[in-house]
């Protein structure tokens, strides 16, 4: 029995006691898998597992508070579940976590670029076959094979958790620990190499392209104060609706600050951005600062309290009284 079939069997066994189980299914074309809410055995039969499962299903959990639900997760997704549990935004007794080893997911923008280079339109994708090392896309009657390493999501290039850090049901053998690629943090390295003036110019250029759709916020599993988001709040009125670079940059900076030490770097904010703005780099920069100051990584320990959600009179790495 394949791990996908075993996963389906275990979900069907648990489903009678759950409102639903969240996973992935084939989407509107061969290149896209989309979220699946399983409420019957027929739904479970639609479940997919593989390199096209790019969404983070943990984003739906806070909206289903009070209901007993299941969620199928990749290793990176499981960190979001853990972080939600740490902040008591979901109830551990109401969440059943299903998982198996992850071999990585693709970045569809990289796949489409490969197809364009081969003279094939991604809009005609008819079939996708993956084996962990290669992705073969058939479109317009032509098959284009590409190395998984060339089209993997950047987060997979620096993956530390190919297996769920927390799971109630884990099927199959654990995935081997991948070797981190130097290109996994190319975005931060490029920003570090810039002068402060150049970095500001970089962000102003990208923020000028922002259309204020808030897909970055809506796709973020840790962005949970939407009813009181500064983007729409009028009391207090932190942001205007001006389509100015300054207002848009202000929103992204506040968003990143709210996620400091909480972001699990699932990359959904950047994946969801229709303008391909590299907003994840802001979160990664703050995560690096949090790690350096507090030796803390989000979403790996249910019992841990994120450093910005607690107070210590004297931090080990912050010498406030050192003068």
């Amino acid at each position: 029995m394949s791990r996908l079939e075993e996963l389906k069997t275990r979900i069907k066994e648990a489903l009678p006691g759950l409102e639903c189980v969240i996973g992935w299914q084939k989407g509107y074309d061969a290149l896209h898998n989309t979220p699946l809410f399983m409420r019957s055995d027929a739904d479970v039969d639609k479940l997919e597992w593989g390199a096209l499962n790019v969404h983070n299903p943990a984003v739906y959990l806070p909206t289903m508070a009070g209901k007993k639900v299941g969620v199928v997760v990749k290793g990176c997704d499981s960190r979001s579940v853990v972080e939600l549990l740490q902040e008591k935004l979901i109830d551990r007794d109401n969440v059943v976590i299903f998982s198996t080893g992850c071999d990585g997911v693709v970045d569809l923008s990289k796949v489409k670029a490969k197809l364009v280079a081969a003279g094939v339109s991604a809009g005609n994708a008819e079939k996708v076959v993956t084996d962990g090392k290669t992705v073969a896309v058939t479109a317009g009657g032509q098959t284009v094979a590409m190395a998984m390493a060339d089209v993997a999501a950047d987060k997979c290039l620096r993956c530390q958790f190919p297996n769920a850090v927390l799971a109630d049901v884990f099927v199959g053998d654990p995935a081997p620990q991948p070797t981190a690629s130097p290109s996994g943090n190319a975005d931060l390295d490029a920003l570090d190499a810039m002068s402060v003036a150049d970095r500001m110019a970089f962000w102003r250029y990208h923020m000028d392209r922002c259309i204020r759709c808030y897909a970055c916020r809506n796709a973020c599993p840790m962005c949970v104060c939407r009813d009181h988001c500064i983007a729409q709040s009028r009391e207090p009125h932190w942001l205007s609706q001006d389509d100015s670079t300054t207002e848009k940059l202000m929103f992204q900076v506040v968003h990143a600050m709210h996620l400091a030490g909480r972001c699990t770097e699932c990359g959904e904010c950047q994946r969801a951005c229709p303008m391909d703005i590299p907003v994840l780099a802001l979160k990664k920069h703050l995560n690096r600062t949090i790690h350096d100051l507090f030796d803390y990584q989000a979403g790996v320990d249910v019992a841990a309290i994120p450093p910005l959600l607690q107070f210590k009179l004297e931090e080990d790495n912050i010498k406030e009284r050192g003068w």
Side-chain angles (χ1 to χ4, degrees), residues 200-226:
M200 176 57 78
F202 172 88
W203 285 116
R204 291 192 71 84
Y205 163 74
H206 283 294
M207 289 302 121
D208 185 52
R209 299 190 300 112
C210 173
I211 58 174
R212 296 190 75 164
C213 68
Y214 302 120
C216 54
R217 176 197 65 182
N218 298 342
C220 175
M222 302 312 304
C223 198
V224 294
C225 53
R226 293 170 191 167

CSV table of all heavy atoms in Angstrom, one decimal, residues 200-226:
chain,number,residue,atom,x,y,z
A,200,MET,N,16.6,50.4,0.8
A,200,MET,CA,15.3,51.2,0.9
A,200,MET,C,14.8,51.4,-0.5
A,200,MET,O,13.6,51.3,-0.8
A,200,MET,CB,15.6,52.6,1.5
A,200,MET,CG,14.3,53.5,1.5
A,200,MET,SD,12.9,52.7,2.3
A,200,MET,CE,13.3,53.0,4.1
A,201,ALA,N,15.7,51.7,-1.5
A,201,ALA,CA,15.3,51.8,-2.9
A,201,ALA,C,14.7,50.5,-3.4
A,201,ALA,O,13.7,50.5,-4.1
A,201,ALA,CB,16.4,52.2,-3.8
A,202,PHE,N,15.2,49.4,-3.0
A,202,PHE,CA,14.7,48.1,-3.4
A,202,PHE,C,13.3,47.9,-2.9
A,202,PHE,O,12.4,47.5,-3.7
A,202,PHE,CB,15.6,47.0,-2.8
A,202,PHE,CG,15.1,45.6,-2.9
A,202,PHE,CD1,15.5,44.8,-4.1
A,202,PHE,CD2,14.4,45.0,-1.9
A,202,PHE,CE1,15.0,43.5,-4.2
A,202,PHE,CE2,13.9,43.7,-2.1
A,202,PHE,CZ,14.2,42.9,-3.2
A,203,TRP,N,13.1,48.2,-1.6
A,203,TRP,CA,11.7,48.0,-1.1
A,203,TRP,C,10.7,49.0,-1.6
A,203,TRP,O,9.5,48.7,-1.9
A,203,TRP,CB,11.7,48.0,0.4
A,203,TRP,CG,12.3,46.8,1.0
A,203,TRP,CD1,13.5,46.6,1.7
A,203,TRP,CD2,11.8,45.4,0.8
A,203,TRP,NE1,13.7,45.3,2.0
A,203,TRP,CE2,12.7,44.6,1.5
A,203,TRP,CE3,10.7,44.9,0.2
A,203,TRP,CZ2,12.5,43.2,1.6
A,203,TRP,CZ3,10.5,43.5,0.2
A,203,TRP,CH2,11.4,42.7,0.9
A,204,ARG,N,11.2,50.2,-1.9
A,204,ARG,CA,10.2,51.2,-2.4
A,204,ARG,C,9.8,50.8,-3.8
A,204,ARG,O,8.7,51.0,-4.2
A,204,ARG,CB,10.9,52.6,-2.4
A,204,ARG,CG,11.0,53.2,-1.0
A,204,ARG,CD,11.4,54.7,-1.0
A,204,ARG,NE,10.2,55.5,-1.5
A,204,ARG,CZ,9.2,55.9,-0.7
A,204,ARG,NH1,9.3,55.6,0.6
A,204,ARG,NH2,8.2,56.6,-1.1
A,205,TYR,N,10.8,50.2,-4.6
A,205,TYR,CA,10.4,49.8,-6.0
A,205,TYR,C,9.4,48.7,-5.9
A,205,TYR,O,8.4,48.7,-6.6
A,205,TYR,CB,11.7,49.2,-6.7
A,205,TYR,CG,11.4,48.4,-7.9
A,205,TYR,CD1,10.9,48.9,-9.1
A,205,TYR,CD2,11.5,47.0,-7.8
A,205,TYR,CE1,10.6,48.1,-10.1
A,205,TYR,CE2,11.1,46.2,-8.9
A,205,TYR,CZ,10.7,46.8,-10.0
A,205,TYR,OH,10.4,46.0,-11.1
A,206,HIS,N,9.6,47.7,-5.0
A,206,HIS,CA,8.6,46.6,-4.9
A,206,HIS,C,7.3,47.1,-4.3
A,206,HIS,O,6.2,46.6,-4.8
A,206,HIS,CB,9.2,45.5,-4.1
A,206,HIS,CG,10.2,44.6,-4.9
A,206,HIS,ND1,9.8,43.9,-6.0
A,206,HIS,CD2,11.5,44.5,-4.8
A,206,HIS,CE1,10.9,43.3,-6.5
A,206,HIS,NE2,12.0,43.6,-5.8
A,207,MET,N,7.3,47.9,-3.3
A,207,MET,CA,6.1,48.4,-2.7
A,207,MET,C,5.3,49.2,-3.7
A,207,MET,O,4.0,49.3,-3.6
A,207,MET,CB,6.4,49.2,-1.4
A,207,MET,CG,6.9,48.3,-0.3
A,207,MET,SD,5.7,47.0,0.1
A,207,MET,CE,6.7,45.5,-0.1
A,208,ASP,N,5.9,49.9,-4.6
A,208,ASP,CA,5.2,50.7,-5.6
A,208,ASP,C,4.4,49.8,-6.5
A,208,ASP,O,3.4,50.2,-7.0
A,208,ASP,CB,6.2,51.5,-6.4
A,208,ASP,CG,5.5,52.5,-7.4
A,208,ASP,OD1,4.7,53.2,-6.9
A,208,ASP,OD2,5.9,52.4,-8.6
A,209,ARG,N,4.8,48.5,-6.6
A,209,ARG,CA,4.0,47.6,-7.5
A,209,ARG,C,2.9,46.9,-6.7
A,209,ARG,O,2.0,46.3,-7.3
A,209,ARG,CB,5.0,46.5,-8.0
A,209,ARG,CG,6.1,47.1,-8.9
A,209,ARG,CD,6.9,46.0,-9.6
A,209,ARG,NE,7.5,45.0,-8.6
A,209,ARG,CZ,7.1,43.8,-8.5
A,209,ARG,NH1,6.1,43.3,-9.2
A,209,ARG,NH2,7.7,43.0,-7.6
A,210,CYS,N,2.9,47.0,-5.4
A,210,CYS,CA,1.8,46.4,-4.6
A,210,CYS,C,0.4,46.9,-4.9
A,210,CYS,O,0.3,48.1,-5.1
A,210,CYS,CB,2.1,46.6,-3.1
A,210,CYS,SG,0.8,46.1,-1.9
A,211,ILE,N,-0.5,46.0,-5.1
A,211,ILE,CA,-1.9,46.5,-5.4
A,211,ILE,C,-2.8,46.4,-4.2
A,211,ILE,O,-4.0,46.5,-4.3
A,211,ILE,CB,-2.5,45.6,-6.5
A,211,ILE,CG1,-2.5,44.1,-6.1
A,211,ILE,CG2,-1.7,45.8,-7.8
A,211,ILE,CD1,-3.2,43.2,-7.2
A,212,ARG,N,-2.3,46.2,-3.0
A,212,ARG,CA,-3.0,46.2,-1.7
A,212,ARG,C,-4.2,45.2,-1.8
A,212,ARG,O,-5.3,45.5,-1.3
A,212,ARG,CB,-3.5,47.6,-1.4
A,212,ARG,CG,-2.4,48.6,-1.1
A,212,ARG,CD,-2.9,49.9,-0.6
A,212,ARG,NE,-3.2,49.8,0.8
A,212,ARG,CZ,-3.4,50.8,1.7
A,212,ARG,NH1,-3.2,52.0,1.2
A,212,ARG,NH2,-3.7,50.6,2.9
A,213,CYS,N,-3.9,44.0,-2.3
A,213,CYS,CA,-5.0,43.0,-2.3
A,213,CYS,C,-5.0,42.2,-1.0
A,213,CYS,O,-6.0,41.5,-0.8
A,213,CYS,CB,-4.7,42.0,-3.5
A,213,CYS,SG,-3.2,41.0,-3.3
A,214,TYR,N,-3.9,42.3,-0.2
A,214,TYR,CA,-3.8,41.6,1.1
A,214,TYR,C,-3.8,40.1,0.9
A,214,TYR,O,-4.1,39.4,1.9
A,214,TYR,CB,-4.8,42.1,2.0
A,214,TYR,CG,-4.7,43.6,2.3
A,214,TYR,CD1,-5.8,44.5,2.0
A,214,TYR,CD2,-3.6,44.2,2.7
A,214,TYR,CE1,-5.7,45.8,2.1
A,214,TYR,CE2,-3.4,45.6,2.9
A,214,TYR,CZ,-4.5,46.4,2.6
A,214,TYR,OH,-4.4,47.7,2.7
A,215,ALA,N,-3.5,39.6,-0.2
A,215,ALA,CA,-3.3,38.1,-0.4
A,215,ALA,C,-2.2,37.6,0.6
A,215,ALA,O,-2.4,36.5,1.1
A,215,ALA,CB,-3.0,37.7,-1.8
A,216,CYS,N,-1.2,38.4,0.8
A,216,CYS,CA,-0.1,38.0,1.7
A,216,CYS,C,-0.6,37.8,3.1
A,216,CYS,O,-0.2,36.9,3.8
A,216,CYS,CB,1.0,39.1,1.6
A,216,CYS,SG,0.5,40.7,2.0
A,217,ARG,N,-1.5,38.7,3.5
A,217,ARG,CA,-2.1,38.6,4.8
A,217,ARG,C,-3.1,37.4,4.9
A,217,ARG,O,-3.0,36.6,5.9
A,217,ARG,CB,-2.8,39.9,5.2
A,217,ARG,CG,-3.5,39.9,6.5
A,217,ARG,CD,-4.6,41.0,6.6
A,217,ARG,NE,-5.6,40.8,5.6
A,217,ARG,CZ,-6.6,41.7,5.4
A,217,ARG,NH1,-6.7,42.8,6.1
A,217,ARG,NH2,-7.6,41.5,4.5
A,218,ASN,N,-3.9,37.3,3.9
A,218,ASN,CA,-4.9,36.2,3.9
A,218,ASN,C,-4.4,34.8,3.9
A,218,ASN,O,-5.0,33.9,4.4
A,218,ASN,CB,-5.9,36.5,2.8
A,218,ASN,CG,-6.7,37.8,2.9
A,218,ASN,OD1,-6.7,38.4,4.0
A,218,ASN,ND2,-7.3,38.3,1.9
A,219,ALA,N,-3.2,34.7,3.2
A,219,ALA,CA,-2.6,33.3,3.1
A,219,ALA,C,-1.8,33.0,4.3
A,219,ALA,O,-1.4,31.8,4.4
A,219,ALA,CB,-1.8,33.3,1.8
A,220,CYS,N,-1.5,33.9,5.2
A,220,CYS,CA,-0.6,33.7,6.3
A,220,CYS,C,-1.4,33.0,7.5
A,220,CYS,O,-2.4,33.5,8.0
A,220,CYS,CB,-0.1,35.0,6.8
A,220,CYS,SG,0.9,34.8,8.3
A,221,PRO,N,-1.0,31.8,7.9
A,221,PRO,CA,-1.7,31.1,9.0
A,221,PRO,C,-1.5,31.8,10.3
A,221,PRO,O,-2.3,31.5,11.2
A,221,PRO,CB,-1.0,29.7,9.0
A,221,PRO,CG,0.3,29.9,8.4
A,221,PRO,CD,0.1,31.0,7.3
A,222,MET,N,-0.5,32.6,10.5
A,222,MET,CA,-0.3,33.3,11.8
A,222,MET,C,-0.9,34.7,11.8
A,222,MET,O,-0.8,35.4,12.8
A,222,MET,CB,1.2,33.4,12.1
A,222,MET,CG,1.9,32.0,12.1
A,222,MET,SD,1.0,30.8,13.1
A,222,MET,CE,0.9,31.7,14.7
A,223,CYS,N,-1.5,35.2,10.7
A,223,CYS,CA,-2.1,36.5,10.6
A,223,CYS,C,-3.6,36.4,11.0
A,223,CYS,O,-4.4,36.1,10.1
A,223,CYS,CB,-1.9,37.1,9.2
A,223,CYS,SG,-2.1,38.9,9.2
A,224,VAL,N,-3.9,36.5,12.3
A,224,VAL,CA,-5.2,36.1,12.8
A,224,VAL,C,-6.0,37.3,13.3
A,224,VAL,O,-7.2,37.1,13.7
A,224,VAL,CB,-5.0,35.1,13.9
A,224,VAL,CG1,-4.5,33.8,13.4
A,224,VAL,CG2,-4.2,35.6,15.0
A,225,CYS,N,-5.6,38.5,13.2
A,225,CYS,CA,-6.4,39.6,13.7
A,225,CYS,C,-7.0,40.4,12.6
A,225,CYS,O,-7.0,41.6,12.6
A,225,CYS,CB,-5.5,40.5,14.6
A,225,CYS,SG,-4.0,41.1,13.8
A,226,ARG,N,-7.6,39.7,11.7
A,226,ARG,CA,-8.1,40.3,10.4
A,226,ARG,C,-9.2,41.3,10.7
A,226,ARG,O,-9.3,42.3,10.0
A,226,ARG,CB,-8.5,39.3,9.4
A,226,ARG,CG,-7.3,38.5,8.9
A,226,ARG,CD,-7.7,37.3,8.1
A,226,ARG,NE,-6.6,36.4,7.9
A,226,ARG,CZ,-6.6,35.2,7.4
A,226,ARG,NH1,-7.8,34.7,7.1
A,226,ARG,NH2,-5.5,34.5,7.3
